[in-house]
Amino acid sequence: MLLVPRLGSGIPLVARTHEMRRLRAAFARADRGEAGAVLLSGDAGVGKTRLLTALGEHVQACGALVLTGRCIDVREGGLPYLPFAEALAPLGSAADPAVAAAVRARPALGRLLPQGQGVEEPRAAEHPPMTSNDRETMVRPRPEQDLGQLQLFDAVLGVLTEIAESRPVVILLEDLHWADASTRNLLSFLLSRLRAQRLLVVGSYREEDVHRRHPLRGLLAELVRLATVERVDLQPFGAVDARKFVEALADEPLPTDVVADIVTRSQGNPFFAEELLATKTECNDLPAGLAEVLLSRLERLSPDARRVVRVLSVATEPVMHAALAAVCGLGELELDEALREAVQHHVLVVLLTDGSYIFRHALLQEAVYGDLLPGERSRMHAAYAARIKARPQGRGHDAKLAYHSMQSSDLVTALPALLRAMDEAEKLGAPGSALQHVEQALSIWDAVAPADRPEGYDELRLLYEASYFAGTSGEPERAVAFARSATQALTPEIPNDRAAKVWRRLADALLALEGTLDEAVAAIDRAWDLVKDTEPSSARAWVLASRAGFLRILEEPEAALDSALAAVADAQAVGAAGAEASALVTLGTLADSAGNADEARERLRQAERTARDAGALNTENRATYFLALSYDDQGRLADALEHATRGVARAEEAGLSWSAYGLELRARQLMLRYLIGDWPDESAGRAGRGVSSAVAARILAIWSLFVVARGRFDEAAKLVAGLRQHWTADMQIPLSAGGAGIELAYWRGEHAEAVRRAEDLIGWLERIEPALLAGIRIAALGVSAAAAQAADARIHGDRAAVGAAVAAGERMLAHGRMCSVVGQPRSGTLGPEGRAWLARLEAAASCLSGRGDAQLWSAAAEAFGYGAVYEQAICRWHEAEALLAADADASSSLEAAHAVAVRLGAVPLRDAVRDLAHRARVELAGVEPAAPARTVTDPLTDRERDVLERVALGRTNRQVGEELYISEKTVSVHLSRVMAKLGASRRAEAVAIAYDRGLLTAPTAEHA
């Protein structure tokens, strides 16, 4: 009798009590209306699927709806949203009327559900075929009939939320390490919006596969910061648990030495243990490598069964019986017997949902696939490709056909399939997947004979497409690389208008990078040289429009105006509405620079409408960005935020979230929310999946301001340090992250470090781009740190340190004043934000010599009254310090600062305000005076203890009075009472007695 282990869910769940308890607790919370997510990590074979199976059985018994989806490894290129499509597929054919109604109410789900399952497929766009000029004008249009990515995401969230109103829903997503970019985006969207739904999302992934550059790595780091997401690490068994597991596997009792050997060799990995036991040996002759262990198990199968297993290893998804019959070449009876044998020996598993076959574990499939000979591997891929060609596969058909054709070296079939897959990914709003497909097409282009290449394509077009997709998926560096290659592929035979289009693509791509302006200008000049002497055309209009934008950046407003007006004339003459909209944007920004805000906004609104009607979505995003910026410059933050938020939503809908202006809109929106006091949750600080490190750093740099202001100092320190390497990528990164670093050191009480960071940043800015208006803000932060450092030195009587701190502050003061005079505001005059930071700079400078000027701090607070509530609260706090130092009433300033700090969750500011109020004996609304817990009888009053604590730190009576905002004489009176109560004749003796009796604790860093 063969010893066949009872593998899979048939055996008891061993040694996973802690992990299962956490998963069940997460479900219990979800059942109560506290939506959550669990990320289950572990090495391959450690038992993630088994644990999820057990969880699914538990929650299903509790009445939950369980939806399961799996990612697959298609090696190069991906199938967008595959695990979600698989998980949601049962909803399309659900018998429950409520579920069916929820699905029907969301037509966008038709992009995920199979045809005919509950929703109608979106109709084809009712437009004529696009010409090349249309393609240029539309700049990746999404017809209104074609639902955007955001609508799809909202539909998924909406249907799950609606179903969860009647019963809890649990989504199990397996093998996320194979997830494509679109799946990662949808997962990020879903998890960031978990609130009060009865919904639990559990995703598993292989920890060892998520290497440093793996696209999932960044997403995981961001997801675990969400309050609704927890991570469960599934570790290998210990020796005791591994023994229990092996014993549970076997149908018969095993010899002790066999169990011990399996436990040792498996190293606690359940799958290793299963495979070692399934080989029906004592493992002595087995090599250490897992692949060899797996393959040794296949030797027990008959030749036909091994053939079927090998055929199945080439597939990238579960395979139906008919497909196996067509590919493997066995007769029906032989195939049935081979499959039965493979299933009985737990090599294959039958999926109950559709009767398809898969390997019991992905590692087994990988081992079998790796063992195939090159010839048989190629033949099997070719057989799968032939079947796919003969039988339409629905969504992902071309991606699968391209993969199998590539692996079988059928490049003639692969090339057009890749290009169709590219178009499909683009329509699904998945530019990252589209980029993968076009890159593969480029890799085989030269290997395909010209006669066999798809009509309408050449290498130049592929390079152009690759540059576009790289730019829209958040990889600006690669967009530039492809665009440069495209210019190198130009030949004299290329028409001038097409060559101009390529050079303009390079110029636009370069504009997204820091330090490439000269090359970008040279590129747009080349484009202009090619079309300047030609008749009006779409290409000429676009070049004129782009050139106008560059001339504006180069501060040549008259030339920019002429070029923009010429672009409008050409565009209207030839019907190039997209180019007209682009030129209108530049006309709007020129009007803004001239101080004509009303004209600017009218131009920009006209540009928005024209671009929207033309389907020129990139241009529409650009217009919206500058419209938001126009309001931002004038301190109308609410209006600016409204436009930025609208632009972000529009970019998401069009799949352009991480295009050049999609990124700018998102960054502006986040910064406005910081200023206006609308602080978001953790999801706002995450960049899209697959974007370049520089693009991610742009968002993280702004997010670091929130992290510091909320008092998460350890997290902020790591964030600021990690962003330092990206300073050269974009000027906004050092301005945001560098400023956050200064504030971090300041709030930590590391004032000397804050001064050092401020001077370092100012020096860096002066070398790269001197006299930036943003330098006023950096200088103001630095001067505040220098003033605090000087105050610390005065307390300790260190005159040299006082002088050094004051000198540093004066240097930064001079820099800030210089920036306010030499810097060039976008609207021509210093706006409300610049004036507010200049006022704060002057107020901070008043603190360098000692007590600050309350009137200057009050003026600074009023200057921030245009809407920057957090900065205004900080000024109110400093105003209160100055008022108290002058023996004036500071209660209103303290209350104002405290109310904002509490509302925003700005913990460092809140604590600083409360500490100041405590020292000044000011009661804040809603704050109970903290009564220190004491285990001994304490004869001292709170004020006497405050005085004695500072005396213990070596303060003089004058210094104690300055800190507590009381006179030196009052300090002396309090000390006399303390010495009398403690029976001391000297100050030092009183301190010693207080320590001995436990009336004082060791000094804290806050008071040191």
Side-chain angles (χ1 to χ4, degrees):
M1 176 179 179
L2 293 177
L3 176 65
V4 179
R6 293 183 290 108
L7 306 180
S9 59
I11 65 169
L13 190 64
V14 176
R16 298 303 188 195
T17 304
H18 173 69
E19 293 85 357
M20 197 63 195
R21 185 183 295 118
R22 292 182 63 183
L23 291 173
R24 290 186 177 187
F27 170 71
R29 291 193 297 271
D31 197 18
R32 295 195 302 267
E34 301 174 21
V38 178
L39 297 174
L40 182 64
S41 68
D43 295 338
V46 81
K48 301 182 293 297
T49 298
R50 179 68 183 89
L51 190 64
L52 292 185
T53 300
L55 174 65
E57 294 170 351
H58 167 73
V59 301
Q60 204 161 23
C62 296
L65 172 64
V66 181
L67 304 172
T68 302
R70 301 168 184 83
C71 301
I72 63 174
D73 181 15
V74 294
R75 294 172 176 92
E76 298 179 12
L79 306 180
Y81 312 118
L82 178 63
F84 283 100
E86 181 182 356
L88 299 179
L91 302 183
S93 57
D96 187 336
V99 174
V103 173
R104 284 196 304 271
R106 294 167 176 85
L109 291 176
R111 308 177 73 180
L112 291 182
L113 301 182
Q115 293 188 23
Q117 288 201 1
V119 296
E120 297 181 0
E121 282 288 309
R123 293 179 300 166
E126 299 175 354
H127 297 290
M130 289 189 295
T131 65
S132 59
N133 286 339
D134 292 334
R135 183 67 171 248
E136 172 62 26
T137 298
M138 296 179 72
V139 193
R140 300 298 169 196
R142 304 293 188 276
E144 291 182 0
Q145 295 89 342
D146 187 21
L147 298 174
Q149 187 182 58
L150 182 61
Q151 293 172 299
L152 172 62
F153 288 10
D154 282 335
V156 172
L157 178 62
V159 74
L160 294 174
T161 300
E162 184 172 338
I163 295 172
E165 291 175 1
S166 58
R167 62 188 296 196
V169 178
V170 177
I171 304 179
L172 306 178
L173 302 173
E174 295 189 46
D175 298 324
L176 290 176
H177 51 278
W178 286 328
D180 67 288
S182 303
T183 296
R184 296 192 299 270
N185 288 338
L186 179 50
L187 178 67
S188 177
F189 177 93
L190 191 61
L191 266 57
S192 66
R193 284 156 177 78
L194 295 178
R195 297 293 185 272
Q197 307 98 327
R198 297 172 71 194
L199 176 62
L200 175 65
V201 181
V202 184
S204 69
Y205 63 95
R206 290 185 193 170
E207 180 68 26
E208 75 271 27
D209 279 7
V210 185
H211 50 77
R212 178 177 296 228
R213 300 183 64 183
H214 194 285
L216 185 64
R217 188 182 183 94
L219 173 61
L220 295 174
E222 293 165 0
L223 290 180
V224 295
R225 288 164 33 199
L226 296 175
T228 54
V229 177
E230 65 175 312
R231 176 172 170 170
V232 175
D233 294 321
L234 203 58
Q235 299 296 327
F237 292 140
V240 174
D241 292 328
R243 179 178 294 274
K244 292 179 180 178
F245 178 75
V246 172
E247 291 173 347
L249 278 175
D251 284 329
E252 303 173 0
L254 294 174
T256 304
D257 57 342
V258 171
V259 174
D261 192 55
I262 293 174
V263 168
T264 301
R265 297 294 298 277
S266 68
Q267 295 183 326
N269 185 294
F271 180 61
F272 284 24
E274 291 181 61
E275 296 306 314
L276 291 169
L277 181 59
T279 56
K280 195 197 168 192
T281 73
E282 296 183 355
C283 307
N284 295 329
D285 299 326
L286 289 176
L290 175 60
E292 295 183 5
V293 173
L294 298 171
L295 294 174
S296 69
R297 180 176 178 185
L298 296 185
E299 293 175 0
R300 301 174 53 200
L301 301 178
S302 66
D304 283 350
R306 288 200 297 271
R307 176 173 178 78
V308 171
V309 168
R310 291 188 181 112
V311 168
L312 193 61
S313 74
V314 176
T316 58
E317 59 186 352
V319 181
M320 299 298 292
H321 182 96
L324 280 174
V327 175
C328 74
L330 293 177
E332 284 295 330
L333 293 179
E334 291 83 356
L335 178 59
D336 286 342
E337 289 303 317
L339 286 170
R340 179 176 291 107
E341 182 181 359
V343 170
Q344 287 179 343
H345 284 82
H346 306 284
V347 174
L348 302 181
V349 174
V350 181
L351 293 182
L352 299 180
T353 53
D354 58 5
S356 60
Y357 294 91
I358 61 170
F359 278 84
R360 188 181 59 81
H361 198 287
L363 286 178
L364 183 54
Q365 180 176 6
E366 292 176 17
V368 175
Y369 183 81
D371 193 52
L372 295 176
L373 296 172
E376 63 179 338
R377 182 182 299 175
S378 179
R379 288 192 300 272
M380 291 177 185
H381 276 296
Y384 274 111
R387 179 171 175 80
I388 292 171
K389 288 172 67 176
R391 298 174 62 89
Q393 304 290 304
R395 186 179 295 108
H397 169 92
D398 290 306
K400 290 183 282 188
L401 176 60
Y403 167 68
H404 287 295
S405 298
M406 287 280 287
Q407 296 302 316
S408 61
S409 299
D410 182 6
L411 305 186
V412 173
T413 299
L415 183 59
L418 285 168
L419 297 176
R420 292 193 300 270
M422 174 192 74
D423 289 337
E424 181 182 31
E426 179 188 358
K427 292 174 183 177
L428 287 171
S433 297
L435 176 61
Q436 287 182 328
H437 294 311
V438 73
E439 283 186 293
Q440 288 179 291
L442 279 167
S443 71
I444 65 173
W445 181 262
D446 289 336
V448 178
D452 295 325
R453 295 169 183 168
E455 184 178 354
Y457 285 90
D458 58 14
E459 186 176 19
L460 182 61
R461 179 177 176 182
L462 296 187
L463 289 167
Y464 185 95
E465 300 279 4
S467 178
Y468 170 79
F469 285 126
T472 54
S473 59
E475 299 188 65
E477 299 89 350
R478 300 185 68 201
V480 168
F482 282 120
R484 284 173 176 155
S485 296
T487 61
Q488 294 166 7
L490 291 172
T491 62
E493 294 76 23
I494 300 294
N496 281 3
D497 59 345
R498 189 180 182 197
K501 177 181 175 181
V502 171
W503 282 107
R504 185 173 64 83
R505 172 69 226 157
L506 175 60
D508 290 343
L510 287 165
L511 198 58
L513 299 182
E514 196 74 28
T516 58
L517 181 59
D518 290 343
E519 185 183 355
V521 170
I524 199 64
D525 286 345
R526 289 287 298 275
W528 175 236
D529 289 340
L530 289 166
V531 297
K532 65 181 179 181
D533 296 325
T534 62
E535 294 297 318
S537 65
S538 176
R540 189 175 190 273
W542 272 108
V543 172
L544 278 166
S546 295
R547 185 168 178 265
F550 279 98
L551 289 169
R552 182 190 67 82
I553 295 171
L554 294 172
E555 300 177 9
E556 298 181 28
E558 294 182 1
L561 180 62
D562 291 342
S563 185
L565 292 173
V568 171
D570 274 22
Q572 291 177 345
V574 300
E580 179 185 357
S582 180
L584 287 171
V585 174
T586 301
L587 289 173
T589 57
L590 288 170
D592 239 346
S593 298
N596 302 322
D598 291 339
E599 177 188 346
R601 292 163 192 166
E602 178 55 36
R603 290 279 198 185
L604 292 169
R605 290 190 180 95
Q606 183 184 358
E608 269 192 323
R609 293 191 297 269
T610 304
R612 187 181 304 113
D613 292 343
L617 299 179
N618 280 312
T619 303
E620 182 185 346
N621 289 341
R622 178 171 169 245
T624 305
Y625 169 74
F626 280 110
L627 184 59
L629 202 59
S630 177
Y631 286 102
D632 192 358
D633 285 343
Q634 300 301 315
R636 295 175 59 176
L637 301 189
D639 292 326
L641 179 59
E642 178 184 352
H643 289 294
T645 300
R646 178 172 56 82
V648 168
R650 182 69 169 153
E652 288 180 344
E653 178 184 347
L656 299 173
S657 294
W658 302 107
S659 61
Y661 284 98
L663 170 64
E664 293 299 331
L665 282 164
R666 189 175 294 273
R668 179 52 46 185
Q669 179 197 41
L670 190 58
M671 192 66 201
L672 286 167
R673 294 186 71 175
Y674 175 77
L675 293 172
I676 210 169
D678 178 24
W679 289 8
D681 59 23
E682 306 299 312
S683 62
R686 298 198 305 272
R689 307 284 58 77
V691 303
S692 73
S693 59
V695 170
R698 180 73 187 282
I699 298 300
L700 286 173
I702 301 174
W703 185 247
S704 66
L705 295 169
F706 291 91
V707 178
V708 171
R710 284 170 165 158
R712 305 206 301 261
F713 292 157
D714 291 342
E715 178 185 347
K718 294 178 181 178
L719 196 55
V720 168
L723 288 168
R724 183 62 177 83
Q725 62 182 312
H726 297 293
W727 277 21
T728 58
D730 190 303
M731 183 61 70
Q732 297 302 318
I733 295 174
L735 291 176
S736 296
I742 298 168
E743 294 188 274
L744 171 63
Y746 180 88
W747 285 121
R748 279 181 157 176
E750 301 168 355
H751 301 131
E753 174 63 13
V755 170
R756 187 198 66 76
R757 290 184 178 188
E759 292 200 296
D760 175 57
L761 178 54
I762 288 173
W764 190 89
L765 292 174
E766 287 182 328
R767 292 190 299 272
I768 302 300
E769 191 169 347
L772 279 174
L773 287 175
I776 304 173
R777 170 176 167 266
I778 303 303
L781 296 176
V783 171
S784 289
Q789 183 186 13
D792 293 342
R794 289 190 188 97
I795 290 175
H796 292 90
D798 190 341
R799 294 185 178 181
V802 171
V806 171
E810 290 175 345
R811 289 193 299 272
M812 290 184 283
L813 173 63
H815 175 79
R817 288 171 173 170
M818 181 272 293
C819 290
S820 70
V821 174
V822 180
Q824 298 181 347
R826 205 180 68 89
S827 59
T829 57
L830 198 61
E833 182 180 11
R835 295 195 298 270
W837 278 106
L838 184 59
R840 178 170 169 179
L841 173 66
E842 298 295 343
S846 72
C847 300
L848 288 172
S849 58
R851 296 178 178 178
D853 189 320
Q855 290 185 344
L856 290 178
W857 279 114
S858 177
E862 291 299 325
F864 279 111
Y866 67 89
V869 297
Y870 177 63
E871 303 300 344
Q872 185 180 47
I874 289 178
C875 291
R876 291 298 183 198
W877 167 51
H878 287 302
E879 178 190 13
E881 287 182 316
L883 288 170
L884 291 171
D887 200 23
D889 179 29
S891 57
S892 62
S893 299
L894 286 168
E895 286 287 4
H898 185 258
V900 171
V902 170
R903 179 174 68 82
L904 297 181
V907 176
L909 177 59
R910 181 203 68 188
D911 291 348
V913 172
R914 289 180 178 178
D915 177 69
L916 179 60
H918 170 74
R919 289 188 282 121
R921 289 296 187 267
V922 175
E923 293 187 5
L924 297 172
V927 179
E928 292 293 331
R934 304 184 186 98
T935 58
V936 296
T937 302
D938 190 347
L940 305 180
T941 66
D942 288 343
R943 179 56 89 186
E944 289 168 351
R945 187 177 305 98
D946 288 340
V947 170
L948 190 58
E949 284 175 347
R950 284 155 179 79
V951 170
L953 294 171
R955 310 287 200 264
T956 65
N957 285 6
R958 180 178 61 80
Q959 291 171 334
V960 173
E962 289 177 350
E963 289 190 34
L964 298 178
Y965 305 103
I966 57 179
S967 67
E968 187 174 349
K969 182 178 179 180
T970 302
V971 173
S972 179
V973 170
H974 283 307
L975 274 177
S976 297
R977 291 174 179 170
V978 168
M979 289 188 287
K981 289 179 179 180
L982 299 181
S985 57
R986 293 176 292 107
R987 294 157 55 100
E989 185 181 2
V991 171
I993 293 172
Y995 276 131
D996 186 57
R997 294 185 183 180
L999 303 178
L1000 290 181
T1001 58
T1004 63
E1006 178 184 353
H1007 297 127

